[in-house]
Amino acid sequence: MSDHFWRRLPGQAVDTSSPTELGALVPSRYDAGFAELTAAGLALAVRRTARLMALALTENGLHPDPAARLPLHGGVPRPAGEPDVLVLRPEQVAAASVFLRGSALGELVRQQDSLLARTVVALGFATPWSETLAAEVVADLRELRDFFADAAAAGDAVIMRGAL
């Protein structure tokens, strides 16, 4: 279980920055300025639910829409040896936003209840799958939905880092 981070950038920044430069722009929770970026709506982090969020959005063929993978798996794969940053171009951010806005996020989590319970065990969570943890996943998905909606409205790209 590790942190997962997203950062909004002007759309053209992904065209004019190297992978190393983009990687340096993805903040961590401990970076100076992280709180300010988050307060401004330019960065988002989740601590322990990213893998569960990804499963709720993509597993068991419930979502044939390729946009279901974008918010957590990225859009443009990074070449081998490049920093571990994933890039979503503005059109991919818009597609992810449409998908997230059109999804009943609480229902997606409920539909994956058994899978999420098994995953919590496999990942070694200190507590078992519960209504409380399900509510945390839904809250994080809603925060992600709002983040992507704001990014899409501004025409921004999104870069992200995290282990799923």
Side-chain angles (χ1 to χ4, degrees):
M1 295 176 293
S2 63
D3 292 344
H4 204 89
F5 297 94
W6 296 264
R7 167 92 188 260
R8 289 174 45 190
L9 298 172
Q12 67 275 14
V14 297
D15 296 325
T16 59
S17 301
S18 72
T20 301
E21 290 168 329
L22 289 173
L25 294 174
V26 182
S28 79
R29 199 174 300 277
Y30 305 107
D31 288 347
F34 177 73
E36 290 81 11
L37 285 171
T38 301
L42 298 175
L44 177 67
V46 296
R47 176 97 183 126
R48 64 184 193 142
T49 62
R51 178 73 175 134
L52 303 174
M53 292 166 65
L55 291 172
L57 293 178
T58 63
E59 283 302 305
N60 293 332
L62 293 174
H63 309 288
D65 185 343
R69 296 186 56 77
L70 292 173
L72 286 132
H73 294 284
V76 179
R78 70 184 186 280
E82 295 289 352
D84 63 342
V85 63
L86 299 172
V87 177
L88 288 171
R89 304 186 66 69
E91 61 275 9
Q92 293 168 314
V93 171
S97 177
V98 167
F99 172 78
L100 290 167
R101 278 193 332 262
S103 297
L105 301 174
E107 184 59 26
L108 293 180
V109 172
R110 278 187 290 286
Q111 289 172 346
Q112 297 300 336
D113 193 64
S114 297
L115 174 63
L116 296 173
R118 289 190 309 272
T119 302
V120 163
V121 171
L123 293 176
F125 273 64
T127 58
W129 182 248
S130 64
E131 287 297 319
T132 301
L133 187 50
E136 183 181 340
V137 173
V138 172
D140 287 345
L141 283 167
R142 287 180 178 146
E143 194 171 5
L144 185 67
R145 176 197 60 204
D146 296 345
F147 179 82
F148 270 85
D150 291 344
D156 285 346
V158 171
I159 56 177
M160 68 186 92
R161 177 182 295 138
L164 290 178

